[in-house]
Amino acid sequence: MARVTTSDTVGEADREQAGPGALDSGAGPGGERAAGTLPRWQARLRRFGYAARPRPDVADRLTPRFPAPDPRLGAVFGLGPETAVRLARWAAWGGPLLVALIAGALRFWDLGSPHAVIFDETYYAKDAWSLIHLGYEGTWPDNANDRILAHPQEIPLSSEGSYVVHPPVGKWIIGLGEALFGLDPFGWRFMTAVLGTLSVFMLCRIGRRLFRSTVLGCLAGALMAVDGLHFVMSRTALLDLVVMFWVLAAFGCLLVDRDKSRALLAARLPRGGTDEGPGQGAPLPDASVGDRTGLGARPWRLLAGLCLGLAFATKWNGLYVLAAFGILTVLWDMGARRTAGASRPFLAMLRKDALPAFVSLPVLALVTYAVSWTGWFATSGGYFRDWADKQGAAGPWGWLPGPLRSLWHYESEVYSFHVNLTSHHTYQSNPFSWLVLGRPVSYFYESPKAGTDGCTDKGEGCAREVLALGTPVLWWAACVALVYVLYRWFFRRDWRAGALLCGVAAGYLPWFAYQERTIFLFYAVVFLPFLCLALAMAAGALAGPPGTDERRRTVGIVAVGVIGLLIVWNFIYFWPIYTGQTIPLEEWRHRMWLDTWI
């Protein structure tokens, strides 16, 4: 059969509509196709209406640009083209700020309620106060909570070192709020509310950079702003939201580093010739640039290593994220060098990027972890602080300084505790059930009688609960979105989908190795931002890409709007059991959609 050429199937108008690079065919130097022909399968499908996706030039593939504002949107509000452009520039920061302000108002509203030590605040609030005043975790009597909440207040802190099983960074952060506002519920919840609000702002900006869309970025942030699990964790002095904050910050830093390093490669590429002269055309792939170009200091990747170290120094599950993000960033480097024209992108990555990445991420993270124990090193009262001195210099590690050997022993004891923690807890859950919210954790519960604590129900009485439950409609929709993201990564090789799946996998999959351990659903807050990004990505596909016809775009936007309103309604509906409001017992039962929530 004779070869089908482009001229047989595509007219000049079709070529212009397809865009530059869409008609490339026939492998040329560097794997590029010669302009003017289509692969046979694409040429045949053109007879049935198939249009090849436009293939951007090398510079656009390395550093995709933000699309110009859609003039149709400005026309709806009666805005001229220049005004629409200025509004789009303002929205890049103004939109995330507005979403974060709303999230902050929700999180700081009546933050000191319930006026109680709820769930594991009994550990971290007191440990944080101890770190601020002693430099290490001291001990507290059994009735310490009642004495702290009493009037007048008593703070029965002892300087005797206490055995704790989590690193100190998260407790130092909680302690900052206590140093500002005192040892009371508002003080120990203040910093988690701050980090919860900032994380919403960061997610808006990260989503904008990831999707090249301010709307989708703000949508991702708004989804997290109205998620019940994130909301409750932002109003509780626990460590997991702190881990989530540093993981999200690290991901954002790696995204910025990805853009900047790829822009540097694009700037080094030679340019083809045009009618205006040589070197005035589009950048061309070049093996010498892809193979040999050094990317110099990469401060954003260093900052990512610092953030991952702070996550690891809050809870050890941050170590899994460190490993996953380390692999992700070197794969991004390899992909960038391949796009730039490297003849052997894997070897080029190993020569130019692997060692700096190792120093920037694992090495810097471990140094950060060690530095986080400064208070323990600088004092003498911490638990196991003098263990090495009592053991002497015997053994193969006797050459190490005593404090380091003491810390290593402490860490080995803590690891043994974590992997052997199998005692039953009422609210423990298997990670298989997390995505569908199978077993949320009740942080606080009371049963006020009629006439007490705002209860007006004279029948069965009332209920007052703080339930760490994600907004159900959001999480269940996110399960569907994950299927779409998996499709985008596996079949379309969409790097954005791969990055989101990496974030979810790093925060989620390691827990399947500890199914016998006592674990809880609220650990899932660490990968919640990536679920919100996945849902925003699916929403963008549902609404349709730029250039979609009016009817298709209208139907898609209405569908996204309906889902968004359902999520907001769902958050409002569960508001009383997120904030510990007193409600009639019958209303509380209506909100227990699954038997496993009780």
Side-chain angles (χ1 to χ4, degrees):
M1 179 182 293
R3 178 178 176 84
V4 181
T5 63
T6 305
S7 59
D8 296 327
T9 58
V10 184
E12 291 298 324
D14 291 327
R15 296 185 193 183
E16 294 178 3
Q17 184 178 9
L23 307 181
D24 293 347
S25 178
E32 297 296 317
R33 293 187 178 275
T37 60
L38 280 170
R40 288 187 180 182
W41 67 271
Q42 287 190 4
R44 289 169 180 169
L45 288 177
R46 282 291 297 178
R47 301 172 182 176
F48 303 97
Y50 170 82
R53 288 179 294 160
R55 182 176 177 82
D57 61 29
V58 176
D60 281 341
R61 280 187 282 145
L62 285 171
T63 55
R65 291 168 287 187
F66 282 87
D70 192 334
R72 295 175 294 180
L73 182 60
V76 171
F77 297 99
L79 302 177
E82 294 183 0
T83 305
V85 170
R86 286 197 297 269
L87 181 62
R89 290 174 180 170
W90 172 88
W93 287 96
L97 281 172
L98 180 60
V99 174
L101 285 174
I102 295 172
L106 293 172
R107 280 148 181 77
F108 279 97
W109 177 83
D110 202 15
L111 182 61
S113 177
H115 187 75
V117 181
I118 65 174
F119 199 61
D120 280 356
E121 286 185 340
T122 189
Y123 303 115
Y124 307 128
K126 290 181 291 189
D127 286 346
W129 182 267
S130 179
L131 281 171
I132 292 294
H133 289 85
L134 298 177
Y136 60 90
E137 293 89 341
T139 56
W140 301 77
D142 292 340
N143 64 348
N145 292 347
D146 295 332
R147 294 165 70 176
I148 289 170
L149 296 172
H151 297 282
Q153 184 185 58
E154 295 181 57
I155 303 179
L157 172 61
S158 167
S159 61
E160 181 182 354
S162 175
Y163 179 64
V164 296
V165 295
H166 291 298
V169 163
K171 290 169 281 188
W172 278 109
I173 291 173
I174 293 171
L176 179 59
E178 294 174 341
L180 294 172
F181 301 104
L183 186 60
D184 59 29
F186 182 86
W188 62 63
R189 295 170 192 161
F190 176 79
M191 284 306 298
T192 52
V194 169
L195 296 188
T197 302
L198 289 176
S199 65
V200 170
F201 175 78
M202 287 195 305
L203 189 62
C204 292
R205 291 288 300 174
I206 288 169
R208 180 180 184 272
R209 180 175 290 273
L210 185 68
F211 302 128
R212 293 301 195 261
S213 168
T214 301
V215 172
L216 291 183
C218 289
L219 175 61
L223 289 171
M224 195 161 75
V226 295
D227 175 68
L229 181 60
H230 186 274
F231 176 78
V232 170
M233 297 297 287
S234 298
R235 292 167 55 88
T236 312
L238 270 64
L239 302 180
D240 300 87
L241 185 120
V242 182
V243 178
M244 182 277 300
F245 176 84
W246 294 120
V247 167
L248 181 61
F251 183 74
C253 291
L254 290 177
L255 272 182
V256 177
D257 172 73
R258 182 183 189 275
D259 280 354
K260 290 187 175 296
S261 60
R262 293 167 75 92
L264 180 60
L265 283 175
R268 300 285 179 85
L269 292 175
R271 294 182 175 271
T274 66
D275 294 340
E276 299 176 3
Q280 302 298 315
L284 301 174
D286 185 86
S288 63
V289 172
D291 286 328
R292 302 174 186 174
T293 299
L295 299 176
R298 296 171 67 168
W300 284 100
R301 190 159 65 180
L302 287 168
L303 188 56
L306 175 64
C307 291
L308 289 169
L310 291 170
F312 174 36
T314 300
K315 286 187 77 172
W316 280 3
N317 54 318
L319 187 60
Y320 294 107
V321 182
L322 169 63
F325 282 6
I327 295 171
L328 180 68
T329 189
V330 296
L331 289 178
W332 281 353
D333 288 340
M334 185 173 69
R337 292 188 179 278
R338 178 188 293 113
T339 303
S343 57
R344 296 180 178 179
F346 179 73
L347 293 179
M349 178 273 294
L350 287 179
R351 287 195 302 266
K352 295 293 184 179
D353 304 315
L355 181 59
F358 181 75
V359 173
S360 299
L361 295 178
V363 172
L364 181 57
L366 291 175
V367 170
T368 302
Y369 181 86
V371 171
S372 73
W373 287 87
T374 297
W376 187 85
F377 284 125
T379 57
S380 59
Y383 201 85
F384 278 139
R385 175 62 180 80
D386 58 352
W387 176 86
D389 295 334
K390 294 177 180 178
Q391 298 297 314
W397 302 103
W399 56 274
L400 282 175
L404 286 178
R405 285 187 288 127
S406 294
L407 180 61
W408 180 261
H409 175 73
Y410 193 174
E411 302 288 67
S412 65
E413 291 293 314
V414 168
Y415 177 77
S416 178
F417 168 84
H418 281 305
V419 297
N420 294 301
L421 181 61
T422 57
S423 56
H424 177 75
H425 192 285
T426 303
Y427 291 103
Q428 71 184 64
S429 58
N430 190 288
F432 278 107
S433 69
W434 289 359
L435 289 178
V436 294
L437 305 175
R439 182 60 170 164
V441 181
S442 180
Y443 286 174
F444 172 84
Y445 185 86
E446 288 182 348
S447 301
K449 303 299 182 182
T452 63
D453 201 16
C455 180
T456 59
D457 188 286
K458 298 181 179 180
E460 297 180 287
C462 297
R464 188 181 181 210
E465 183 174 31
V466 176
L467 186 66
L469 170 72
T471 303
V473 174
L474 189 157
W475 281 70
W476 297 340
C479 291
V480 178
L482 281 178
V483 176
Y484 169 73
V485 170
L486 187 62
Y487 154 77
R488 289 289 308 183
W489 172 68
F490 190 78
F491 290 102
R492 302 293 291 272
R493 295 296 188 266
D494 191 326
W495 71 269
R496 303 167 302 171
L500 299 185
L501 291 172
C502 177
V504 173
Y508 185 31
L509 295 185
W511 293 110
F512 286 90
Y514 302 98
Q515 295 188 57
E516 299 301 321
R517 186 185 183 276
T518 308
I519 53 180
F520 302 93
L521 183 148
F522 64 81
Y523 296 170
V525 75
V526 173
F527 61 84
L528 170 64
F530 302 98
L531 296 182
C532 294
L533 287 169
L535 194 50
M537 186 175 185
L542 187 59
T548 303
D549 65 80
E550 295 283 355
R551 183 177 179 181
R552 165 69 177 82
R553 175 59 66 90
T554 300
V555 171
I557 290 176
V558 169
V560 171
V562 169
I563 296 171
L565 289 174
L566 283 174
I567 291 172
V568 172
W569 163 82
N570 205 205
F571 176 74
I572 295 171
Y573 179 72
F574 285 103
W575 173 269
I577 62 173
Y578 292 148
T579 55
Q581 303 295 301
T582 300
I583 57 176
L585 191 59
E586 186 64 22
E587 292 188 19
W588 175 84
R589 288 198 189 102
H590 289 163
R591 288 167 172 79
M592 297 297 105
W593 286 2
L594 302 178
D595 292 340
T596 55
W597 292 2
I598 299 175

